[in-house]
Amino acid sequence: MSTHPLTTASTGAAQPWVRLWSPRPQARLRLLCFHPAGAGTAFFRDWATLLPDDVEVLAVQLPGRESRFTEPPLTSHQEAVTALHAALRPYLTRPYALFGHSMGALLAYGVAVAAMRHGDRPPVRLFLSGSQGPGGEPRKPGRPAWTDAELVADLREMGGTPEEVLSNSDLLALVLPTLRADYALCDSFRAPAGALLDCPVSVFGGDRDAYTAADLARWGATTRGGWTQRMFDGGHFFLTAPSAEAVRAAVAADLLDG
């Protein structure tokens, strides 16, 4: 019976929480990537082949999208972290790093804290991108209750969502319920008391995003392992355009240092 980490040891069934496009069994470490609100594993598909060969990229998939579309999406940060940590523990036995963008940053941080509290191997590095650290004032509170028109206008302003999706009512009917659930998950985020990580943290932001350098810098207080901050050209989705190559180069460099 297969015991590959992309299957369950008891049944051999596919692991629904992780997508692996380019297996690299000899890689020196895994990079687990957490997608932003409203997105899925495809957000990181290019990374699987564009990062160095010694990094195996695995994209984390939440319920309510892609192959898990029929499952109800999660609306609680703590419940999501609990489920993610349980599902991802088989991947934490080898050297690994965590990368999360926007909502994904909140989830990656939560998984790092859960790993620490359960005595798991810590990540060699935690990447927190496009999200303010604990203690900041919410930039867009109450988004789960916004009208469809308000959500679409906000998505258009942030960029990152194709116009053919934003102008297609049938597609929006599929996308917006999951997006609202993801925003509820973000609104429920509370930094765990007394959680101080030991791993180094890399903080990334866009110089035209609503989250300022000061907002991002709040993540520095979550670790005693040292932290760095980089600002890239672009808005909230700077890591897809225009700074995709620069972000991947920074990730590769930090993983080499880590």
Side-chain angles (χ1 to χ4, degrees):
M1 182 174 293
S2 173
T3 56
H4 188 280
L6 290 181
T7 63
T8 60
S10 59
T11 67
Q15 161 62 277
W17 291 90
V18 171
R19 182 73 180 270
L20 174 64
W21 287 285
S22 181
R24 294 175 175 173
Q26 305 306 315
R28 67 181 180 89
L29 63 83
R30 296 179 173 125
L31 178 64
L32 295 163
C33 298
F34 298 75
H35 58 72
T41 61
F43 191 81
F44 292 105
R45 184 167 190 167
D46 290 346
W47 289 37
T49 55
L50 295 177
L51 283 175
D53 290 343
D54 62 350
V55 178
E56 184 177 58
V57 176
L58 298 92
V60 176
Q61 180 173 247
L62 294 180
R65 66 214 77 214
E66 297 177 325
S67 65
R68 307 186 69 182
F69 181 77
T70 59
E71 300 177 51
L74 299 169
T75 58
S76 161
H77 178 265
Q78 185 54 58
E79 290 180 4
V81 166
T82 298
L84 281 166
H85 175 249
L88 297 177
R89 288 189 91 177
Y91 303 89
L92 311 185
T93 57
R94 287 172 43 191
Y96 70 96
L98 306 174
F99 184 104
H101 181 72
S102 196
M103 177 185 74
L106 304 181
L107 294 172
Y109 169 68
V111 169
V113 171
M116 176 185 70
R117 290 185 165 173
H118 286 81
D120 299 330
R121 175 196 290 267
V124 298
R125 186 170 290 269
L126 173 62
F127 294 89
L128 302 171
S129 171
S131 176
Q132 68 176 345
E137 290 296 325
R139 287 289 180 264
K140 300 174 181 178
R143 282 182 296 180
W146 287 8
T147 66
D148 288 357
E150 288 171 327
L151 287 176
V152 170
D154 186 55
L155 289 173
R156 185 172 281 119
E157 180 183 350
M158 286 193 295
T161 304
E163 185 59 35
E164 54 265 31
V165 174
L166 297 178
S167 59
N168 186 313
S169 59
D170 291 334
L171 287 177
L172 287 174
L174 300 175
V175 171
L176 292 183
T178 299
L179 182 67
R180 291 182 191 279
D182 288 350
Y183 284 160
L185 187 157
C186 293
D187 285 354
S188 72
F189 171 74
R190 301 292 182 274
L196 192 59
L197 299 170
D198 290 316
C199 64
V201 171
S202 296
V203 181
F204 294 172
D207 59 10
R208 296 191 297 279
D209 193 6
Y211 294 126
T212 67
D215 294 329
L216 297 163
R218 293 179 182 274
W219 287 115
T222 64
T223 185
R224 53 186 163 224
W227 68 287
T228 60
Q229 181 172 325
R230 293 182 181 85
M231 302 300 291
F232 295 88
D233 178 29
H236 189 62
F237 289 102
F238 61 91
L239 75 171
T240 57
S243 297
E245 291 186 12
V247 169
R248 285 193 292 265
V251 169
D254 284 359
L255 289 177
L256 183 63
D257 290 342

